[in-house]
Amino acid sequence: MRALLMAAPFVVWFIWRDVAIRTGRPMGATPWTWLVAIGAILVGLSLMATALAPHAGKNDVYVPAEATASGQVTPGHFEKTRPQR
């Protein structure tokens, strides 16, 4: 997902450049620094949004995977807990 956010400014720029060239507008050099900076800002904003977003299972308890005596592995999972009041 974050790779798409990093790629978005480049995709928009190259589509816009293609349209501009087809309509006969003169184009300058590709602003690589600006495109990388905008992509990095988008990725940074998505990281902040992920950290600040409320999660539905915030109070759930993670139970790690375990190997049983028979050699089977039970996958890790979250167990619901009651909301504290």
Side-chain angles (χ1 to χ4, degrees):
M1 178 64 180
R2 291 197 173 90
L4 294 175
L5 288 173
M6 189 67 189
F10 294 92
V11 171
V12 171
W13 167 262
F14 287 115
I15 289 172
W16 180 81
R17 184 189 67 149
D18 188 48
V19 170
I21 289 172
R22 288 178 190 220
T23 59
R25 296 180 190 160
M27 290 299 300
T30 304
W32 296 106
T33 305
W34 283 103
L35 296 175
V36 170
I38 292 169
I41 289 169
L42 289 174
V43 169
L45 289 173
S46 75
L47 289 170
M48 286 188 282
T50 302
L52 298 176
H55 298 286
K58 197 174 195 178
N59 295 326
D60 293 352
V61 175
Y62 179 71
V63 178
E66 293 179 315
T68 62
S70 64
Q72 293 180 329
V73 177
T74 59
H77 61 280
F78 286 92
E79 289 185 355
K80 299 281 185 197
T81 59
R82 294 182 186 164
Q84 296 182 5
R85 297 178 185 189

